[in-house]
Structures are given as C-alpha cells and as structure tokens.
Amino acid sequence: MIIIISKIELEGTDDLKYTDVGYTTDINVKDEINEQYDSTLGVFIGENRTKLQIGEVSISAFFNDVEYVNEARTEVDNIDGLGLTSITNINQL
C-alpha cells in the first residue's frame, strides 16, 4: 500500500490548494499525519460546516494562524512518474 501525502494550503482568499509532496508505506506515518489534520483543519471544518456553506465563515479564517496542513488519504498502487519523495518520518514534511 502506497499513500500519497498532500499539502493543503490557502490559495487566494477562499480556495484550497492541494499539492502532492511525498508518499509513505508506513501506516504509523499515515496515521500521525491524518491525526494532525483531523485535530486542526478537520475540527475547523466540522465546527463551521454550516457557516462555511452559507458564507458566514471563510476557510481563510483557519489559515490566519496556520500556513498549511498535510493529509495522507489517497492510496495508489504505484507512484511511477510522479516524482514523489518517500516520507518515513513526519519530521521530513
């Protein structure tokens, strides 16, 4: 199992930019990345879902204090030609 690691950051005022920054085959690395996502951006989205949908809150409010978050949820069979670096430790991000 190969998991793509994506960097999520604000682009413009309300758009999210997803950039694939590496991959891992280590379930512990995947879980640590996703736990950090879930406890930051995931919580923000969960708590503000309705306000985000009706335009009362902007996703940019989250990124006032955070430059980016990572997510590791895309599983692929191979990464040939993607030019991604193997991430074996979360500190490599």
Side-chain angles (χ1 to χ4, degrees):
M1 172 177 57
I2 303 169
I3 301 115
I4 303 292
I5 301 167
S6 300
K7 176 180 179 181
I8 304 168
E9 58 193 325
L10 187 65
E11 183 173 66
T13 56
D14 273 337
D15 296 318
L16 295 181
K17 177 182 175 184
Y18 290 77
T19 306
D20 294 339
V21 294
Y23 72 93
T24 190
T25 57
D26 185 327
I27 297 299
N28 294 323
V29 170
K30 174 191 85 94
D31 289 346
E32 190 173 351
I33 291 168
N34 289 334
E35 285 169 10
Q36 286 184 3
Y37 171 91
D38 291 343
S39 68
T40 57
L41 185 56
V43 167
F44 179 84
I45 291 171
E47 290 176 350
N48 293 288
R49 185 171 313 279
T50 301
K51 290 179 181 180
L52 286 162
Q53 290 173 336
I54 62 174
E56 234 176 77
V57 170
S58 170
I59 195 69
S60 64
F62 173 81
F63 289 96
N64 286 336
D65 298 321
V66 176
E67 187 177 339
Y68 66 90
V69 293
N70 292 300
E71 182 179 48
R73 301 195 198 273
T74 304
E75 294 182 23
V76 297
D77 292 325
N78 89 47
I79 55 161
D80 294 343
L82 296 179
L84 298 175
T85 303
S86 174
I87 304 297
T88 57
N89 182 310
I90 195 167
N91 294 323
Q92 292 174 274
L93 296 170

Coordinates of all heavy atoms in Angstrom, one line a residue:
M1 N 0.8 -1.2 0.0 CA 0.0 0.0 0.0 C 0.9 1.2 0.0 O 1.8 1.4 0.8 CB -0.9 0.0 1.2 CG -1.7 1.2 1.4 SD -2.8 1.2 2.8 CE -1.8 0.8 4.2
I2 N 0.6 2.1 -0.9 CA 1.3 3.4 -1.0 C 0.3 4.5 -0.8 O -0.7 4.5 -1.4 CB 2.0 3.6 -2.4 CG1 2.9 2.4 -2.7 CG2 2.7 4.9 -2.5 CD1 3.4 2.3 -4.2
I3 N 0.7 5.4 0.1 CA -0.2 6.5 0.4 C 0.4 7.8 0.0 O 1.5 8.1 0.4 CB -0.6 6.5 1.9 CG1 -1.2 5.2 2.4 CG2 -1.5 7.7 2.3 CD1 -0.4 4.5 3.3
I4 N -0.3 8.6 -0.8 CA 0.2 9.9 -1.2 C -0.1 10.9 -0.1 O -1.1 11.0 0.5 CB -0.6 10.4 -2.5 CG1 -0.5 9.4 -3.6 CG2 -0.1 11.8 -2.9 CD1 0.9 9.3 -4.2
I5 N 0.9 11.7 0.2 CA 0.8 12.8 1.2 C 0.6 14.1 0.5 O 1.4 14.5 -0.4 CB 2.1 12.9 2.1 CG1 2.3 11.5 2.8 CG2 2.0 14.0 3.1 CD1 3.6 11.3 3.4
S6 N -0.4 14.8 0.8 CA -0.7 16.1 0.2 C -0.6 17.2 1.2 O -1.0 17.1 2.3 CB -2.2 16.1 -0.4 OG -2.3 15.1 -1.3
K7 N -0.1 18.3 0.7 CA 0.0 19.6 1.5 C -1.2 20.4 1.1 O -1.5 20.6 -0.1 CB 1.3 20.3 1.1 CG 1.5 21.7 1.7 CD 2.8 22.3 1.3 CE 3.0 23.6 1.9 NZ 4.3 24.2 1.4
I8 N -1.9 20.9 2.1 CA -3.1 21.7 1.8 C -2.9 23.1 2.3 O -2.5 23.3 3.5 CB -4.4 21.1 2.5 CG1 -4.6 19.7 2.1 CG2 -5.6 22.0 2.3 CD1 -5.6 18.9 3.0
E9 N -3.0 24.1 1.5 CA -2.8 25.5 1.9 C -3.8 26.4 1.2 O -4.4 26.0 0.2 CB -1.3 25.9 1.5 CG -1.0 25.8 0.1 CD 0.5 25.9 -0.2 OE1 1.2 26.6 0.5 OE2 1.0 25.2 -1.1
L10 N -3.9 27.6 1.7 CA -4.8 28.6 1.1 C -4.2 29.1 -0.2 O -3.0 29.5 -0.2 CB -5.1 29.7 2.1 CG -6.2 30.7 1.8 CD1 -7.5 30.0 1.7 CD2 -6.2 31.8 2.8
E11 N -5.1 29.2 -1.2 CA -4.7 29.9 -2.4 C -5.7 31.0 -2.7 O -6.9 30.7 -2.8 CB -4.6 28.9 -3.6 CG -4.1 29.5 -4.9 CD -3.9 28.4 -5.9 OE1 -4.9 27.8 -6.4 OE2 -2.8 28.2 -6.3
G12 N -5.2 32.2 -2.7 CA -6.2 33.3 -2.9 C -6.9 33.6 -1.6 O -6.3 33.5 -0.5
T13 N -8.1 33.9 -1.6 CA -8.9 34.2 -0.4 C -9.8 33.1 0.1 O -10.0 33.0 1.3 CB -9.7 35.4 -0.6 OG1 -10.6 35.2 -1.7 CG2 -8.9 36.7 -0.8
D14 N -10.2 32.2 -0.8 CA -11.2 31.2 -0.4 C -10.9 29.8 -1.0 O -11.7 28.9 -0.8 CB -12.6 31.6 -0.7 CG -13.2 32.4 0.4 OD1 -12.8 32.3 1.5 OD2 -14.2 33.1 0.1
D15 N -9.8 29.6 -1.7 CA -9.6 28.4 -2.4 C -8.5 27.6 -1.7 O -7.5 28.2 -1.2 CB -9.1 28.6 -3.8 CG -10.2 29.3 -4.6 OD1 -11.4 28.9 -4.5 OD2 -9.9 30.2 -5.4
L16 N -8.6 26.3 -1.6 CA -7.6 25.4 -1.1 C -6.8 24.8 -2.2 O -7.3 24.5 -3.3 CB -8.2 24.3 -0.3 CG -9.0 24.7 1.0 CD1 -9.5 23.4 1.7 CD2 -8.1 25.5 1.9
K17 N -5.5 24.8 -2.0 CA -4.5 24.2 -3.0 C -4.0 23.0 -2.4 O -3.5 22.9 -1.3 CB -3.4 25.2 -3.3 CG -2.3 24.7 -4.2 CD -1.2 25.8 -4.3 CE -0.1 25.2 -5.2 NZ 1.0 26.2 -5.2
Y18 N -4.1 21.9 -3.2 CA -3.6 20.6 -2.8 C -2.4 20.3 -3.6 O -2.5 20.3 -4.8 CB -4.6 19.5 -3.0 CG -5.8 19.5 -2.1 CD1 -6.8 20.5 -2.2 CD2 -5.9 18.7 -1.0 CE1 -7.9 20.5 -1.4 CE2 -7.0 18.7 -0.1 CZ -8.0 19.6 -0.3 OH -9.1 19.7 0.5
T19 N -1.2 20.0 -3.0 CA 0.0 19.6 -3.7 C 0.5 18.3 -3.1 O 0.7 18.2 -1.9 CB 1.1 20.8 -3.5 OG1 0.5 22.0 -3.8 CG2 2.3 20.5 -4.3
D20 N 0.7 17.4 -4.0 CA 1.3 16.1 -3.5 C 2.8 16.3 -3.2 O 3.5 16.8 -4.1 CB 1.1 15.0 -4.6 CG -0.3 14.6 -4.8 OD1 -1.1 14.9 -3.9 OD2 -0.6 14.1 -5.9
V21 N 3.2 16.0 -2.0 CA 4.6 16.4 -1.6 C 5.4 15.1 -1.3 O 6.6 15.2 -1.1 CB 4.6 17.3 -0.3 CG1 4.0 18.6 -0.7 CG2 3.8 16.7 0.8
G22 N 4.8 14.0 -1.2 CA 5.5 12.7 -0.9 C 4.6 11.6 -0.8 O 3.4 11.6 -1.1
Y23 N 5.2 10.4 -0.4 CA 4.4 9.2 -0.2 C 5.0 8.5 1.0 O 6.1 8.7 1.4 CB 4.4 8.4 -1.5 CG 5.7 7.7 -1.7 CD1 5.9 6.4 -1.2 CD2 6.7 8.3 -2.4 CE1 7.1 5.7 -1.5 CE2 7.9 7.6 -2.7 CZ 8.1 6.4 -2.2 OH 9.3 5.7 -2.4
T24 N 4.2 7.6 1.5 CA 4.6 6.7 2.6 C 4.0 5.3 2.4 O 2.9 5.2 1.8 CB 4.3 7.3 4.0 OG1 5.0 6.5 5.0 CG2 2.9 7.3 4.3
T25 N 4.7 4.3 2.9 CA 4.1 3.0 3.0 C 4.0 2.6 4.5 O 3.6 1.5 4.8 CB 5.1 2.0 2.3 OG1 6.4 2.0 2.9 CG2 5.1 2.2 0.8
D26 N 4.3 3.6 5.4 CA 4.3 3.3 6.8 C 2.9 3.8 7.4 O 2.6 5.0 7.3 CB 5.4 4.1 7.5 CG 5.6 3.9 9.0 OD1 4.5 3.6 9.6 OD2 6.7 3.9 9.4
I27 N 2.2 2.9 7.9 CA 0.8 3.1 8.4 C 0.9 4.1 9.6 O 0.1 5.0 9.7 CB 0.1 1.8 8.9 CG1 -0.1 0.9 7.7 CG2 -1.2 2.1 9.6 CD1 -0.9 1.5 6.6
N28 N 2.0 4.0 10.4 CA 2.1 5.0 11.5 C 2.3 6.4 11.1 O 1.8 7.3 11.7 CB 3.3 4.5 12.4 CG 3.0 3.2 13.1 OD1 1.9 2.9 13.5 ND2 4.0 2.4 13.2
V29 N 3.1 6.6 10.0 CA 3.3 7.9 9.4 C 2.0 8.5 8.9 O 1.6 9.6 9.2 CB 4.4 7.9 8.4 CG1 4.4 9.3 7.6 CG2 5.7 7.6 9.0
K30 N 1.3 7.6 8.2 CA -0.1 8.0 7.6 C -1.0 8.4 8.7 O -1.6 9.4 8.7 CB -0.7 6.8 6.8 CG -2.1 7.1 6.3 CD -2.7 5.8 5.8 CE -3.3 5.0 6.8 NZ -4.7 5.1 7.2
D31 N -1.1 7.6 9.8 CA -2.0 7.9 10.9 C -1.6 9.1 11.6 O -2.5 9.9 12.0 CB -2.0 6.7 11.9 CG -2.7 5.5 11.3 OD1 -3.4 5.6 10.3 OD2 -2.5 4.4 11.9
E32 N -0.3 9.4 11.8 CA 0.1 10.6 12.5 C -0.2 11.9 11.7 O -0.7 12.9 12.2 CB 1.6 10.6 12.8 CG 2.1 11.7 13.7 CD 3.5 11.5 14.1 OE1 4.2 10.5 13.8 OE2 4.1 12.5 14.7
I33 N 0.0 11.8 10.4 CA -0.4 12.9 9.5 C -1.9 13.2 9.6 O -2.3 14.3 9.7 CB 0.1 12.6 8.1 CG1 1.6 12.7 8.0 CG2 -0.6 13.6 7.1 CD1 2.1 12.1 6.6
N34 N -2.7 12.1 9.5 CA -4.1 12.3 9.5 C -4.7 12.7 10.8 O -5.7 13.5 10.9 CB -4.8 11.0 8.9 CG -4.6 10.9 7.4 OD1 -4.4 11.8 6.7 ND2 -4.6 9.6 7.0
E35 N -4.0 12.3 11.9 CA -4.5 12.7 13.2 C -4.2 14.2 13.4 O -5.1 14.9 13.9 CB -3.7 12.0 14.3 CG -4.2 10.5 14.5 CD -3.4 9.7 15.4 OE1 -2.4 10.2 16.0 OE2 -3.6 8.4 15.4
Q36 N -3.1 14.7 12.8 CA -2.8 16.2 12.9 C -3.8 16.9 12.1 O -4.4 18.0 12.5 CB -1.4 16.5 12.4 CG -0.4 16.1 13.4 CD 1.0 16.5 13.0 OE1 1.2 17.1 12.0 NE2 2.0 16.2 13.8
Y37 N -4.2 16.4 10.9 CA -5.2 17.0 10.0 C -6.5 17.1 10.8 O -7.2 18.1 10.8 CB -5.3 16.3 8.7 CG -6.5 16.7 7.9 CD1 -6.4 17.8 7.0 CD2 -7.8 16.2 8.1 CE1 -7.5 18.2 6.2 CE2 -8.9 16.6 7.4 CZ -8.7 17.6 6.5 OH -9.8 18.1 5.7
D38 N -6.9 15.9 11.3 CA -8.2 15.8 11.9 C -8.3 16.7 13.1 O -9.4 17.3 13.4 CB -8.5 14.4 12.4 CG -8.7 13.4 11.2 OD1 -9.0 13.9 10.1 OD2 -8.6 12.2 11.4
S39 N -7.2 17.0 13.8 CA -7.3 17.8 15.0 C -7.1 19.3 14.7 O -7.2 20.1 15.6 CB -6.2 17.4 16.1 OG -4.9 17.6 15.6
T40 N -6.9 19.6 13.5 CA -6.7 21.1 13.1 C -7.8 21.4 12.1 O -8.9 21.9 12.4 CB -5.3 21.3 12.6 OG1 -5.0 20.4 11.5 CG2 -4.2 21.1 13.7
L41 N -7.5 21.3 10.8 CA -8.4 21.6 9.7 C -9.7 20.8 9.8 O -10.8 21.4 9.6 CB -7.8 21.5 8.4 CG -8.6 22.0 7.2 CD1 -9.0 23.4 7.3 CD2 -7.8 21.8 5.9
G42 N -9.6 19.6 10.2 CA -10.8 18.7 10.3 C -11.7 19.2 11.3 O -13.0 19.3 11.1
V43 N -11.2 19.7 12.5 CA -12.0 20.2 13.6 C -12.7 21.5 13.1 O -13.9 21.8 13.3 CB -11.2 20.4 14.8 CG1 -12.0 21.3 15.8 CG2 -10.9 19.1 15.5
F44 N -11.9 22.4 12.5 CA -12.4 23.7 12.0 C -13.5 23.5 11.0 O -14.6 24.1 11.1 CB -11.3 24.5 11.3 CG -11.7 25.8 10.8 CD1 -11.8 26.9 11.6 CD2 -12.1 25.9 9.4 CE1 -12.2 28.1 11.1 CE2 -12.6 27.2 8.9 CZ -12.6 28.3 9.8
I45 N -13.4 22.6 10.1 CA -14.4 22.3 9.1 C -15.7 21.7 9.8 O -16.8 22.2 9.5 CB -13.9 21.4 8.0 CG1 -12.9 22.2 7.1 CG2 -15.1 20.9 7.1 CD1 -12.2 21.3 6.1
G46 N -15.4 20.8 10.7 CA -16.6 20.2 11.4 C -17.3 21.2 12.2 O -18.6 21.2 12.2
E47 N -16.6 22.1 12.9 CA -17.3 23.1 13.8 C -18.0 24.2 13.0 O -18.9 24.9 13.5 CB -16.3 23.7 14.7 CG -15.8 22.7 15.8 CD -14.8 23.3 16.7 OE1 -14.2 24.4 16.4 OE2 -14.4 22.6 17.7
N48 N -17.5 24.4 11.7 CA -18.0 25.5 10.9 C -18.7 25.1 9.6 O -18.9 26.0 8.8 CB -16.8 26.5 10.6 CG -16.3 27.1 11.9 OD1 -17.0 28.0 12.4 ND2 -15.1 26.7 12.3
R49 N -19.1 23.9 9.5 CA -19.6 23.4 8.2 C -20.7 24.2 7.7 O -20.7 24.7 6.5 CB -20.1 21.9 8.4 CG -20.5 21.3 7.1 CD -20.8 19.8 7.2 NE -19.7 19.1 7.9 CZ -18.6 18.7 7.3 NH1 -18.3 18.9 6.1 NH2 -17.7 18.0 8.0
T50 N -21.7 24.5 8.5 CA -22.9 25.3 8.0 C -22.5 26.7 7.7 O -22.9 27.2 6.7 CB -24.0 25.3 9.1 OG1 -24.4 23.9 9.3 CG2 -25.2 26.0 8.6
K51 N -21.7 27.3 8.6 CA -21.3 28.7 8.3 C -20.4 28.8 7.1 O -20.5 29.8 6.4 CB -20.5 29.2 9.5 CG -21.4 29.5 10.7 CD -20.6 30.0 11.9 CE -21.5 30.2 13.1 NZ -20.7 30.6 14.3
L52 N -19.6 27.8 6.8 CA -18.8 27.8 5.6 C -19.7 27.7 4.4 O -19.5 28.3 3.4 CB -17.8 26.6 5.6 CG -16.6 26.7 6.5 CD1 -15.9 25.4 6.8 CD2 -15.6 27.7 5.9
Q53 N -20.7 26.8 4.5 CA -21.6 26.6 3.3 C -22.4 27.9 3.0 O -22.7 28.1 1.8 CB -22.6 25.4 3.6 CG -21.9 24.1 3.6 CD -22.8 23.0 4.0 OE1 -23.7 23.2 4.7 NE2 -22.4 21.8 3.6
I54 N -22.8 28.6 4.0 CA -23.7 29.8 3.7 C -22.8 31.1 3.6 O -23.4 32.2 3.5 CB -24.8 30.0 4.8 CG1 -24.2 30.2 6.2 CG2 -25.7 28.8 4.8 CD1 -25.2 30.5 7.3
G55 N -21.5 31.0 3.7 CA -20.6 32.1 3.6 C -20.4 33.0 4.8 O -19.9 34.1 4.7
E56 N -20.9 32.5 5.9 CA -20.7 33.3 7.2 C -19.3 33.3 7.7 O -18.8 34.2 8.4 CB -21.6 32.7 8.2 CG -22.5 33.8 8.9 CD -23.5 33.1 9.9 OE1 -23.1 32.8 11.0 OE2 -24.7 33.0 9.5
V57 N -18.6 32.2 7.4 CA -17.2 32.0 7.7 C -16.4 31.6 6.5 O -17.0 30.8 5.6 CB -17.0 30.9 8.8 CG1 -15.6 30.5 9.0 CG2 -17.7 31.3 10.1
S58 N -15.2 32.0 6.4 CA -14.3 31.7 5.2 C -13.3 30.7 5.7 O -12.8 30.8 6.8 CB -13.7 32.9 4.7 OG -12.7 32.6 3.7
I59 N -12.9 29.8 4.8 CA -11.8 28.9 5.1 C -10.5 29.6 5.4 O -9.7 29.1 6.1 CB -11.6 27.8 4.0 CG1 -10.8 26.6 4.4 CG2 -11.0 28.5 2.7 CD1 -11.4 25.7 5.4
S60 N -10.4 30.8 4.9 CA -9.2 31.6 5.2 C -9.0 31.9 6.7 O -7.9 32.2 7.1 CB -9.2 32.9 4.3 OG -10.3 33.7 4.7
A61 N -10.1 31.9 7.4 CA -10.0 32.2 8.9 C -9.1 31.1 9.5 O -8.4 31.4 10.4 CB -11.4 32.1 9.5
F62 N -9.2 29.9 9.1 CA -8.3 28.8 9.6 C -6.9 29.1 9.3 O -6.0 29.0 10.1 CB -8.7 27.5 9.1 CG -7.7 26.4 9.5 CD1 -7.8 25.8 10.7 CD2 -6.7 26.0 8.6 CE1 -6.9 24.8 11.1 CE2 -5.8 25.0 9.0 CZ -5.9 24.4 10.2
F63 N -6.6 29.6 8.1 CA -5.2 29.8 7.6 C -4.6 31.1 8.1 O -3.5 31.4 7.8 CB -5.2 29.6 6.1 CG -5.3 28.2 5.7 CD1 -6.5 27.7 5.3 CD2 -4.2 27.3 5.7 CE1 -6.7 26.4 4.9 CE2 -4.4 26.0 5.4 CZ -5.6 25.5 4.9
N64 N -5.4 31.9 8.9 CA -4.8 33.0 9.5 C -3.6 32.6 10.5 O -2.7 33.4 10.6 CB -5.8 33.9 10.3 CG -6.7 34.6 9.4 OD1 -6.4 34.9 8.3 ND2 -7.9 34.9 9.9
D65 N -3.8 31.5 11.1 CA -2.8 31.1 12.1 C -2.0 29.9 11.7 O -1.0 29.5 12.3 CB -3.5 30.7 13.4 CG -4.2 31.9 14.0 OD1 -3.7 33.0 14.0 OD2 -5.4 31.7 14.5
V66 N -2.4 29.2 10.6 CA -1.7 28.0 10.1 C -1.3 28.2 8.7 O -2.2 28.6 7.8 CB -2.7 26.8 10.3 CG1 -2.1 25.5 9.7 CG2 -3.1 26.6 11.7
E67 N -0.1 27.9 8.3 CA 0.4 28.1 7.0 C -0.1 27.0 6.0 O -0.5 27.2 4.9 CB 1.9 28.1 6.9 CG 2.5 28.5 5.6 CD 4.0 28.5 5.6 OE1 4.6 28.7 6.7 OE2 4.6 28.4 4.5
Y68 N -0.1 25.7 6.5 CA -0.5 24.6 5.8 C -0.8 23.4 6.7 O -0.3 23.4 7.8 CB 0.5 24.2 4.7 CG 1.8 23.7 5.2 CD1 2.0 22.3 5.5 CD2 2.8 24.5 5.5 CE1 3.2 21.8 6.0 CE2 4.0 24.1 6.0 CZ 4.2 22.7 6.2 OH 5.4 22.2 6.8
V69 N -1.5 22.4 6.2 CA -1.6 21.1 6.8 C -1.4 20.0 5.8 O -1.4 20.3 4.6 CB -3.0 20.9 7.5 CG1 -3.3 21.9 8.6 CG2 -4.1 21.1 6.4
N70 N -1.1 18.9 6.3 CA -0.9 17.7 5.4 C -2.0 16.7 5.6 O -2.6 16.7 6.7 CB 0.5 17.1 5.7 CG 1.6 17.9 5.3 OD1 1.8 18.3 4.2 ND2 2.5 18.3 6.3
E71 N -2.2 15.9 4.6 CA -3.2 14.9 4.6 C -2.6 13.6 3.9 O -1.9 13.8 2.9 CB -4.5 15.3 4.0 CG -5.6 14.4 4.0 CD -6.9 14.9 3.3 OE1 -6.8 15.5 2.2 OE2 -7.9 14.8 3.9
A72 N -2.9 12.5 4.4 CA -2.4 11.2 3.8 C -3.6 10.2 3.6 O -3.8 9.3 4.4 CB -1.3 10.6 4.6
R73 N -4.4 10.4 2.6 CA -5.6 9.6 2.5 C -5.7 8.9 1.1 O -6.6 8.0 0.9 CB -6.9 10.4 2.8 CG -6.9 11.0 4.2 CD -8.2 11.5 4.6 NE -8.1 12.4 5.7 CZ -8.1 12.0 7.0 NH1 -8.2 10.8 7.3 NH2 -8.1 13.0 7.9
T74 N -4.9 9.3 0.2 CA -5.0 8.8 -1.2 C -4.1 7.5 -1.3 O -2.9 7.7 -1.2 CB -4.6 9.8 -2.3 OG1 -5.5 11.0 -2.1 CG2 -4.8 9.3 -3.6
E75 N -4.7 6.4 -1.5 CA -4.0 5.2 -1.7 C -3.8 4.9 -3.2 O -4.8 5.0 -4.0 CB -4.6 4.0 -1.0 CG -4.7 4.1 0.5 CD -5.3 2.9 1.2 OE1 -5.3 1.8 0.6 OE2 -5.7 3.1 2.3
V76 N -2.6 4.5 -3.6 CA -2.4 4.2 -5.0 C -1.6 2.9 -5.1 O -1.0 2.4 -4.1 CB -1.6 5.3 -5.7 CG1 -2.4 6.6 -5.8 CG2 -0.2 5.5 -5.1
D77 N -1.5 2.3 -6.3 CA -0.8 1.1 -6.5 C 0.7 1.3 -6.9 O 1.6 0.5 -6.6 CB -1.4 0.2 -7.6 CG -2.8 -0.3 -7.1 OD1 -2.9 -0.7 -5.9 OD2 -3.7 -0.4 -8.0
N78 N 0.9 2.4 -7.5 CA 2.3 2.8 -7.9 C 2.4 4.3 -8.0 O 1.5 5.0 -8.3 CB 2.8 2.0 -9.0 CG 2.6 2.6 -10.4 OD1 2.9 3.8 -10.6 ND2 2.2 1.8 -11.3
I79 N 3.7 4.8 -7.9 CA 3.9 6.2 -8.0 C 4.9 6.5 -9.1 O 5.4 7.6 -9.2 CB 4.5 6.7 -6.6 CG1 5.7 5.9 -6.2 CG2 3.4 6.7 -5.6 CD1 6.6 6.6 -5.2
D80 N 5.1 5.6 -10.0 CA 6.0 5.8 -11.1 C 5.7 7.1 -11.9 O 4.5 7.3 -12.2 CB 5.9 4.6 -12.1 CG 6.5 3.3 -11.5 OD1 7.1 3.4 -10.4 OD2 6.2 2.3 -12.0
G81 N 6.7 7.9 -12.1 CA 6.5 9.1 -12.9 C 6.0 10.3 -12.1 O 5.8 11.4 -12.6
L82 N 5.7 10.1 -10.8 CA 5.1 11.2 -10.0 C 6.2 12.1 -9.4 O 5.9 13.2 -8.9 CB 4.1 10.7 -8.9 CG 2.9 10.0 -9.4 CD1 2.0 9.5 -8.3 CD2 2.1 10.9 -10.3
G83 N 7.4 11.6 -9.3 CA 8.5 12.4 -8.7 C 8.3 12.7 -7.3 O 8.8 13.7 -6.8
L84 N 7.7 11.8 -6.5 CA 7.5 12.0 -5.1 C 8.6 11.4 -4.2 O 9.2 10.3 -4.6 CB 6.1 11.4 -4.7 CG 4.9 12.0 -5.3 CD1 3.7 11.2 -4.9 CD2 4.8 13.5 -5.0
T85 N 8.9 12.0 -3.1 CA 9.9 11.5 -2.2 C 9.2 10.6 -1.1 O 8.1 10.9 -0.7 CB 10.5 12.8 -1.4 OG1 11.0 13.6 -2.4 CG2 11.6 12.3 -0.5
S86 N 10.0 9.6 -0.7 CA 9.5 8.7 0.3 C 9.6 9.4 1.7 O 10.7 9.9 2.0 CB 10.3 7.4 0.3 OG 10.0 6.6 1.5
I87 N 8.5 9.4 2.4 CA 8.5 10.1 3.7 C 8.4 8.9 4.8 O 7.4 8.1 4.8 CB 7.3 11.0 3.9 CG1 7.3 12.1 2.8 CG2 7.2 11.6 5.3 CD1 8.4 13.0 2.8
T88 N 9.4 8.8 5.6 CA 9.5 7.7 6.6 C 9.3 8.3 8.0 O 9.2 7.5 8.9 CB 10.8 7.0 6.5 OG1 11.9 7.9 6.7 CG2 10.9 6.3 5.2
N89 N 9.3 9.6 8.1 CA 9.2 10.3 9.4 C 8.4 11.6 9.2 O 8.8 12.3 8.3 CB 10.6 10.5 10.0 CG 10.5 11.2 11.3 OD1 9.9 12.1 11.6 ND2 11.3 10.6 12.3
I90 N 7.5 11.9 10.0 CA 6.7 13.1 9.8 C 7.5 14.3 9.9 O 7.1 15.4 9.3 CB 5.5 13.1 10.9 CG1 4.5 14.1 10.4 CG2 6.1 13.4 12.3 CD1 3.2 14.0 11.2
N91 N 8.7 14.3 10.5 CA 9.5 15.5 10.6 C 10.1 15.8 9.2 O 10.7 16.9 9.1 CB 10.6 15.3 11.6 CG 10.0 15.2 13.0 OD1 9.0 15.9 13.3 ND2 10.6 14.4 13.8
Q92 N 10.0 15.0 8.2 CA 10.5 15.2 6.9 C 9.6 16.2 6.1 O 10.0 16.7 5.1 CB 10.7 13.9 6.1 CG 11.7 13.0 6.6 CD 11.7 11.7 5.8 OE1 11.0 10.8 6.2 NE2 12.5 11.6 4.8
L93 N 8.4 16.4 6.7 CA 7.5 17.3 6.0 C 7.8 18.7 6.3 O 7.5 19.5 6.8 CB 6.1 16.9 6.3 CG 5.7 15.5 5.8 CD1 4.3 15.1 6.4 CD2 5.6 15.5 4.3

